[in-house]
Amino acid sequence: MKKDTKGLKPSNPDRRGHFGLFGGRYVPETLMPAILELQEAYGRIRRDSTFRREFQHILKDYVGRPTALYEAKRLSEALGGAFRVFLKREDLTHTGAHKINNTIGQILLAKRMGKRRIIAETGAGQHGVATATAAALMGLECEVYMGRKDTVRQAMNVFRMELTGARVIPVDSGTKTLKDAINEAIRDWVANVSDTHYIIGSVVGPHPYPVMVRDFQSVIGREARSQIRKKTGGLPDVVVACVGGGSNAMGIFYPFSREPSVRLIGVEAAGKGTDTDYHSATLTCGEPGVLHGTMSYLLQDRWGQIKGAHSVAPGLDYPGVGPEHSWFKDSGRAEYYVIDDQEALEGFRLLSETEGIIPALESAHAIAFLKKLKDELPAGSTVLVNLSGRGDKDVETVRNIFRGGATE
Amino acid sequence: MNRIERVFKRLRKRDETALIPFVTAGDPSIQATRDLVLEMDRRGADIVELGLAFSDPLADGPTIQAASFRALQGGMNTKKYFELVAHIRKTADIPLVLMGYYNPILRYGLEEFARDAAAAGIDGTIIPDLPLEEAGPWMKACRENGLANILLVAPNTPEERIKRIVRASRGFIYYVSVLGITGARTSLPPEVSGGLERVKSFTQKPVAVGFGISRPEQVKALSSSADGIIVGSAIVRLMEEKLSNVSPGEEDRAVAEIGEFIGSLKEATL
């Protein structure tokens, strides 16, 4: 397959949502009117100052933005002290992860479009919780699809969703995890397209989702950019974030993407190793293909069947990735590396011990990568890390592992 | 003229509606699919839709999802699919339409896939996750290899889009009867016939209707407005029942029973 990386500016898809080869709208015809309606509605609110004010107001008073930018000096010392580390504290948002930025944006949009019902998919449950929360805030009916396996391993998040009034629908098809929950949400949407809005939780899916979710999450990078300027007088040398579907990474990368001096590094989950079948390193090991309405790198076999993904971090456990990341990879704008389960657990412990911050296992991948960076960065560099979520949801998993259990 | 066009031309002269049954290739085995397609041909099917299994069939309901899963578990893949088609082609001239998702085609290579599908004896393709906007490269590969790429129209497709879709579609137009996914339904919305007529008002090409159709009565009711009727999940479910627990040597009888169902559906189109 040819990789056409010329002719388009990064982050500037064409009218049909293509980032070079990637992106697009690969959906059943029944969804096309809804996707076009969404694109049109999103185009309108993007320029609407009333919408922006309402969005910013909720982000401030309800979500708790701007989130802090914290210089992690003890972490930096533990890593040899050669570079400064700044953590963008998305773990401090309401519901405990960056996911809420997107669900607030989309629910406001859904309301303006006159939709009365919200559906969502969730893997670890963070996006499901953020969607259920936003739906409760707006008084909309909410149903969340979740793989049966995930409902068991993330039972507390199922209860949180139910407490906020959502109905959680366990999915028994396929691998019974996130990718199957997305399939089921799309099937629901096809059948209920007139009154339902589907809130996708990452920069994946058909156009305009990758662009829309990126825009709603870009508040992370915009805040961090002005905060780090104030603290250091300049731009960071490196920005690091974990990548599953890629929304927290795109949210922090995007406002730096036109600054050639800033290295953007995405960290994928190597799970039990990229030489095994148990990883989620889509950009590192995958091949371009079409899943869930978009063309992007995918974990697939030689016949184009989608493979299961694995990571100790349930939020990274996805065999696809946002199309703009695929574009960033092929155009060289961002670099993507891997961290395995074991390294991520060490990162989890490291941040907890040095800073008293328990990170989500997903974000622990970004922390763990700092160890690999330390030998290649010039002294005095500044590194910005997106601490995308807090680790409360993972403490039980980690406790079992540290006590000698298996990583799954 | 390819086989699909020939069939519709012949049926139009006789004022007859095409019966288009669906079967997932390799469910539960390659041998069973071959026997079934030949039986369908004998029992009056006019075109057969042959599903190429995909791990994530997002336009399909539970029945066809399960069939795809069984086929993949049984080792079905693109290469075996083409071998099966070539095998059927040795003895049958019935038009065969591949129903499958885009990723396995992309992975194989568009040109290579179209070439090998045509060489094996496929006449057309239906790709539910490839709408008009993204279909360009695949339609080109189809044209160059004499395949008909059949596009879908849904009940909520606006008029202007219908016009563009019917112009680009080859072989026939697939009208989706309901908002939703595949799967047998006990009743169909009353507006199906109206929707069909609407599509037909924009084109001379044949229009076939599918999704949710499971009984001879439904086939009969739609025969006056549709040029073709696609029955999928009802057949797959029947196979699931008849073929899942047969002991060796009894497959023939199970296949014959499904054949009887096909016969009753065909009768309803006359």
Side-chain angles (χ1 to χ4, degrees):
Chain A
M1 186 174 291
K2 266 186 244 137
K3 288 171 185 171
D4 178 12
T5 54
K6 284 191 227 62
L8 264 177
K9 281 187 187 136
S11 316
N12 190 17
D14 70 11
R15 213 160 38 84
R16 293 173 176 180
H18 297 104
F19 301 90
L21 169 72
F22 305 107
R25 294 178 292 221
Y26 296 86
V27 295
E29 179 56 32
T30 312
L31 282 185
M32 280 307 291
I35 299 259
L36 295 170
E37 179 198 2
L38 182 63
Q39 185 180 340
E40 201 265 328
Y42 179 59
R44 233 179 314 123
I45 61 111
R46 222 176 171 182
R47 298 183 298 270
D48 178 351
S49 57
T50 324
F51 179 90
R52 272 207 304 273
R53 265 200 305 279
E54 196 178 355
F55 183 42
Q56 278 156 11
H57 167 75
I58 297 176
L59 287 185
K60 176 169 175 283
D61 289 353
Y62 184 75
V63 174
R65 305 208 71 93
T67 57
L69 183 76
Y70 168 71
E71 180 166 11
K73 291 186 177 155
R74 282 186 29 86
L75 173 65
S76 171
E77 259 168 53
L79 294 166
F83 56 86
R84 298 172 76 182
V85 179
F86 291 88
L87 304 178
K88 182 58 176 163
R89 298 290 306 276
E90 292 301 296
D91 59 317
L92 296 177
T93 55
H94 178 44
T95 69
H98 73 289
K99 294 288 185 190
I100 189 95
N101 303 324
N102 168 48
T103 63
I104 296 290
Q106 285 202 47
I107 206 129
L108 287 173
L109 179 59
K111 201 141 188 182
R112 288 194 177 212
M113 291 171 72
K115 306 290 181 186
R116 58 158 199 92
R117 178 171 174 267
I118 296 296
I119 54 170
E121 83 294 340
T122 197
Q126 290 304 105
H127 173 59
V129 167
T131 304
T133 301
L137 179 67
M138 293 292 152
L140 294 179
E141 186 186 330
C142 177
E143 299 194 89
V144 180
Y145 289 93
M146 189 170 188
R148 174 79 66 182
K149 274 190 198 161
D150 292 329
T151 62
V152 175
R153 55 186 176 181
Q154 300 288 331
M156 193 53 78
N157 272 342
V158 173
F159 188 56
R160 288 169 79 194
M161 286 183 261
E162 287 168 351
L163 277 177
T164 45
R167 193 161 79 91
V168 177
I169 305 169
V171 174
D172 283 312
S173 56
T175 58
K176 300 180 175 51
T177 61
L178 177 59
K179 89 175 167 73
D180 310 284
I182 297 179
N183 290 337
E184 218 50 59
I186 293 175
R187 290 178 187 125
D188 179 314
W189 200 25
V190 174
N192 300 290
V193 63
S194 55
D195 69 348
T196 298
H197 175 66
Y198 175 22
I199 299 190
I200 292 184
S202 192
V203 287
V204 301
H207 182 64
Y209 281 103
V211 168
M212 181 168 72
V213 177
R214 172 197 78 196
D215 290 351
F216 289 141
Q217 292 293 2
S218 290
V219 65
I220 305 171
R222 282 198 308 275
E223 285 177 8
R225 192 183 156 115
S226 87
Q227 289 166 322
I228 207 160
R229 270 223 158 116
K230 276 184 197 137
K231 287 181 198 282
T232 68
L235 292 168
D237 298 297
V238 187
V239 180
V240 183
C242 64
V243 178
S247 71
N248 92 80
M250 197 47 75
I252 199 162
F253 286 176
Y254 188 64
F256 294 102
S257 60
R258 282 159 205 260
E259 300 291 351
S261 71
V262 181
R263 270 178 82 185
L264 305 175
I265 296 181
V267 183
E268 297 193 292
K272 296 181 181 181
T274 49
D275 54 344
T276 72
D277 272 338
Y278 301 93
H279 65 80
S280 307
T282 311
L283 290 160
T284 309
C285 305
E287 295 285 343
V290 167
L291 178 68
H292 297 148
T294 192
M295 173 101 69
S296 197
Y297 277 88
L298 293 180
L299 297 179
Q300 53 181 316
D301 70 12
R302 61 177 293 216
W303 303 111
Q305 306 294 339
I306 309 304
K307 289 203 218 171
H310 164 87
S311 168
V312 69
L316 302 182
D317 196 345
Y318 181 59
V321 67
E324 198 167 7
H325 282 295
S326 292
W327 168 254
F328 274 8
K329 176 189 158 81
D330 280 12
S331 65
R333 181 58 197 96
E335 307 154 55
Y336 297 89
Y337 302 101
V338 298
I339 284 292
D340 68 21
D341 285 351
Q342 197 52 47
E343 294 166 320
L345 287 162
E346 285 161 22
F348 182 92
R349 197 198 286 270
L350 177 68
L351 188 67
S352 303
E353 288 177 357
T354 55
E355 300 287 352
I357 298 171
I358 301 172
L361 278 172
E362 292 77 12
S363 324
H365 283 72
I367 299 292
F369 187 73
L370 297 176
K371 282 194 189 173
K372 299 200 167 174
L373 254 188
K374 68 177 182 189
D375 298 326
E376 56 171 284
L377 286 187
S381 302
T382 55
V383 179
L384 170 63
V385 181
N386 196 5
L387 193 63
S388 54
R390 67 179 184 228
D392 304 39
K393 68 181 177 64
D394 299 313
V395 288
E396 196 166 318
T397 307
V398 175
R399 185 174 65 162
N400 289 336
I401 294 169
F402 286 170
R403 283 179 174 180
T407 60
E408 186 58 25
Chain B
M1 192 166 26
N2 89 10
R3 289 188 194 91
I4 301 171
E5 288 163 10
R6 276 207 302 268
V7 159
F8 278 110
K9 202 170 171 194
R10 190 186 73 220
L11 293 176
R12 207 164 256 191
K13 272 189 202 146
R14 292 195 238 151
D15 198 21
E16 200 180 308
T17 300
L19 176 70
I20 312 175
F22 167 91
V23 54
T24 301
D27 168 38
S29 69
I30 288 172
Q31 182 62 37
T33 305
R34 183 175 157 262
D35 292 349
L36 265 164
V37 172
L38 297 177
E39 176 74 5
M40 286 169 169
D41 188 18
R42 273 196 296 275
R43 296 289 188 140
D46 299 291
I47 297 173
V48 170
E49 235 188 75
L50 194 55
L52 172 60
F54 181 50
S55 54
D56 294 78
L58 54 77
D60 285 303
T63 307
I64 294 176
Q65 286 174 42
S68 301
F69 184 75
R70 286 191 298 269
L72 291 174
Q73 292 291 97
M76 182 39 79
N77 63 38
T78 309
K79 185 162 166 276
K80 289 182 185 167
Y81 180 96
F82 291 150
E83 286 166 7
L84 167 65
V85 170
H87 205 91
I88 293 169
R89 258 298 157 253
K90 277 189 200 158
T91 50
D93 199 46
I94 189 166
L96 296 171
V97 173
L98 179 148
M99 162 104 179
Y101 291 81
Y102 195 38
N103 198 53
I105 297 177
L106 262 177
R107 186 75 173 127
Y108 198 90
L110 301 186
E111 256 101 88
E112 294 82 354
F113 194 102
R115 183 195 64 210
D116 290 357
I122 286 289
D123 300 292
T125 62
I126 299 168
I127 320 289
D129 60 346
L130 193 65
L132 184 62
E133 282 80 352
E134 304 289 356
W138 176 240
M139 289 197 294
K140 181 169 175 279
C142 284
R143 265 197 312 278
E144 289 167 357
N145 288 279
L147 294 176
N149 186 46
I150 295 147
L151 293 170
L152 297 96
V153 171
N156 57 348
T157 308
E159 219 171 278
E160 188 274 331
R161 252 185 101 71
I162 297 179
K163 288 183 194 162
R164 287 193 288 134
I165 293 170
V166 300
R167 209 178 305 134
S169 190
R170 295 286 175 268
F172 60 91
I173 289 118
Y174 191 135
Y175 180 69
V176 176
S177 67
V178 291
L179 292 177
I181 51 179
T182 61
R185 287 159 173 85
T186 47
S187 67
L188 288 169
E191 57 273 16
V192 177
S193 296
L196 264 168
E197 296 295 347
R198 194 165 73 111
V199 178
K200 289 182 71 173
S201 71
F202 296 111
T203 183
Q204 295 296 311
K205 292 174 188 167
V207 181
V209 60
F211 279 42
I213 302 162
S214 61
R215 305 166 170 197
E217 308 89 85
Q218 292 169 323
V219 171
K220 200 170 188 64
L222 289 168
S223 281
S224 55
S225 39
D227 300 305
I229 292 177
I230 299 150
V231 180
S233 296
I235 293 166
V236 173
R237 202 169 53 194
L238 192 62
M239 284 175 35
E240 199 175 2
E241 269 171 43
K242 300 286 175 200
L243 281 170
S244 58
N245 294 314
V246 287
S247 38
E250 281 183 25
E251 285 107 342
D252 288 357
R253 209 182 62 208
V255 167
E257 281 179 57
I258 297 163
E260 267 162 46
F261 179 58
I262 300 289
S264 70
L265 294 172
K266 181 56 202 175
E267 208 159 288
T269 69
L270 298 175

